[in-house]
Amino acid sequence: MLLAEVFWPRRADAAVVIGAGLEIAALGMGHRQVAARLGLAEGTVRGWLRAFAGRAEAVRRHFTVALVALADDPVMPDAAPSTLADAVSAVAAAHRAASARWPGMLTSRTVTVGGRRMRSGSR
């Protein structure tokens, strides 16, 4: 689970950046391609992906349970080609359900990474 920077002050990268990296990796891109897209060091991205991949099944289960608890009529994500992609899909689905249930709960934040603006929070 990615916590906002305020809860994890020693983390060097914003949760929105790590989340974007995970979303790119879920599309099937490797750490080098993800790092190039984000303008970050390959080793940094490789570390994120390894850490997440090691917990991907537990993350998928946790956020699938959260989705069911949050949504009145939950729409389960389709099966993805990898465990990492399944976990990212479950997180995104639970995020949408939480945003629908509590529209004002999530705040948005914009950061610039590698010359690109990335927005976190509700859409």
Side-chain angles (χ1 to χ4, degrees):
M1 180 169 171
L2 295 176
L3 296 174
E5 296 77 29
V6 70
F7 298 113
W8 196 257
R10 298 182 88 184
R11 187 176 61 217
D13 298 296
V16 64
V17 177
I18 297 169
L22 293 172
E23 288 176 347
I24 295 167
L27 296 173
M29 294 186 193
H31 74 275
R32 288 183 181 92
Q33 292 173 304
V34 174
R37 287 209 171 198
L38 296 176
L40 297 171
E42 291 178 5
T44 298
V45 174
R46 184 175 49 245
W48 299 342
L49 298 182
R50 283 183 179 168
F52 190 80
R55 297 175 184 92
E57 181 56 29
V59 169
R60 185 199 61 76
R61 280 193 311 266
H62 177 84
F63 282 93
T64 299
V65 169
L67 168 62
V68 170
L70 290 167
D72 293 330
D73 188 16
V75 177
M76 294 297 147
D78 292 333
S82 70
T83 306
L84 184 143
D86 276 336
V88 170
S89 294
V91 171
H95 176 266
R96 285 189 301 275
S99 295
R101 187 168 203 170
W102 300 296
M105 179 188 80
L106 302 173
T107 60
S108 64
R109 179 172 178 207
T110 304
V111 296
T112 303
V113 179
R116 292 184 174 175
R117 292 177 58 96
M118 296 184 180
R119 183 171 179 264
S120 68
S122 310
R123 291 180 195 231

